[in-house]
Amino acid sequence: MNIIRAQAARLPLAAAILVLILVGSGFLIDEGPAGIRDEDTSAVGWLAGHRTSWLVRATEAATWLADTWTVIAATAVLAAVAAWRTRAWWLPGGIILLTAGETAIYEISNALVARPRPAVARLDPGDPMASYPSGHVAASVCLYGGLALLLLHVARRHPRHGHGHGRGRGAARAGAAVAVAAAVAVPLIVAFCRTYRGMHHPSDVLAGAFLGACWLAAVHRTVLARGFAVDDRERRSAGLRPACAEPRPAHPM
């Protein structure tokens, strides 16, 4: 696992680069040419002017998919299950890195840019100077994307043949397919909800999706993918040991 530790040491650099990109982009959007800023304002104003009671209630409920406490609880449960199942540090560590690292990058970028929320009636509580980027969208990409990667790995390593394995493999693949769909759909739903409810401009949710996708890719490349590879090698090695350990018959003298 030394290679995983060595690769994980690169994550602070990736985080710093992401902060620089987000902060630079945030200043360009908020204080640069008026084109993007005006489009942002128009889009949020149009949504606020076309709110309906049922969609207000629906977006309030859907926002909980990426609420802070939802993300914390889901991360804790996933990390605990991963630690119990694998008895290895890299998988629960990678899960925690996904959401904890995203939160740190978001907090730093958000504080440095300090973009005001949209100038419409806001339906949720929140810091009025914390519009860019969207932490809810970034968290949803990391949480549900990370879950999809884990379930895809489980489905891939599940035995293809043998008594009872067909049903188990089918369930694993179905779970992975649902997780992949959620990894795509939930961030889109959350992005719409946060914009519809007047908490973010469209560029804020796009920046949140960019943050989440980049951090998910960085953690997967440095920790999760390498851990999966090591895990697969160890499983194959364990499967070969009995055959390799069988004593060879002595040659007759």
Side-chain angles (χ1 to χ4, degrees):
M1 295 295 179
N2 288 335
I3 189 172
I4 302 177
R5 292 190 182 94
Q7 290 294 322
R10 300 181 181 181
L11 286 175
L13 176 59
I17 293 172
L18 269 176
V19 168
L20 289 175
I21 293 173
L22 288 167
V23 171
S25 301
F27 282 125
L28 285 175
I29 291 170
D30 198 37
E31 300 181 9
I36 296 176
R37 187 169 64 246
D38 289 347
E39 291 296 329
D40 268 351
T41 302
S42 298
V44 176
W46 187 89
L47 286 173
H50 290 79
R51 287 172 179 162
T52 60
S53 57
W54 73 268
L55 199 48
V56 167
R57 292 192 299 270
T59 54
E60 180 182 15
T63 300
W64 282 94
L65 291 168
D67 181 75
T68 300
W69 291 110
T70 302
V71 173
I72 291 173
T75 300
V77 170
L78 283 174
V81 171
W84 174 66
R85 292 284 295 178
T86 65
R87 302 294 194 273
W89 69 268
W90 63 267
L91 183 52
I95 293 169
I96 294 170
L97 271 174
L98 277 174
T99 53
E102 171 273 318
T103 300
I105 297 167
Y106 158 76
E107 292 288 352
I108 296 171
S109 304
N110 186 276
L112 291 174
V113 176
R115 186 185 193 188
R117 300 272 189 188
V120 297
R122 296 189 294 274
L123 304 183
D124 294 325
D127 183 351
M129 299 295 289
S131 188
Y132 180 94
S134 171
H136 279 71
V137 174
S140 67
V141 172
C142 285
L143 176 62
Y144 295 96
L147 177 61
L149 289 173
L150 296 177
L151 291 182
L152 283 170
H153 174 65
V154 170
R156 183 174 60 82
R157 67 187 284 189
H158 203 283
R160 294 176 180 270
H161 305 291
H163 181 67
H165 288 162
R167 182 179 300 176
R169 180 172 176 79
R173 295 182 68 177
V178 170
V180 170
V184 175
V186 172
L188 293 175
I189 292 170
V190 172
F192 172 76
C193 291
R194 297 297 283 170
T195 309
Y196 185 84
R197 299 180 67 79
M199 302 308 294
H200 290 291
H201 306 89
S203 59
D204 301 332
V205 297
L206 288 174
F210 172 78
L211 161 56
C214 289
W215 188 245
L216 175 63
V219 174
H220 179 254
R221 180 177 177 83
T222 57
V223 178
L224 297 179
R226 294 180 182 275
F228 292 151
V230 170
D231 187 38
D232 287 341
R233 285 197 298 270
E234 289 177 349
R235 285 172 59 85
R236 287 195 297 267
S237 177
L240 291 174
R241 278 190 199 111
C244 295
E246 290 178 0
R248 294 182 179 180
H251 292 285
M253 297 297 292

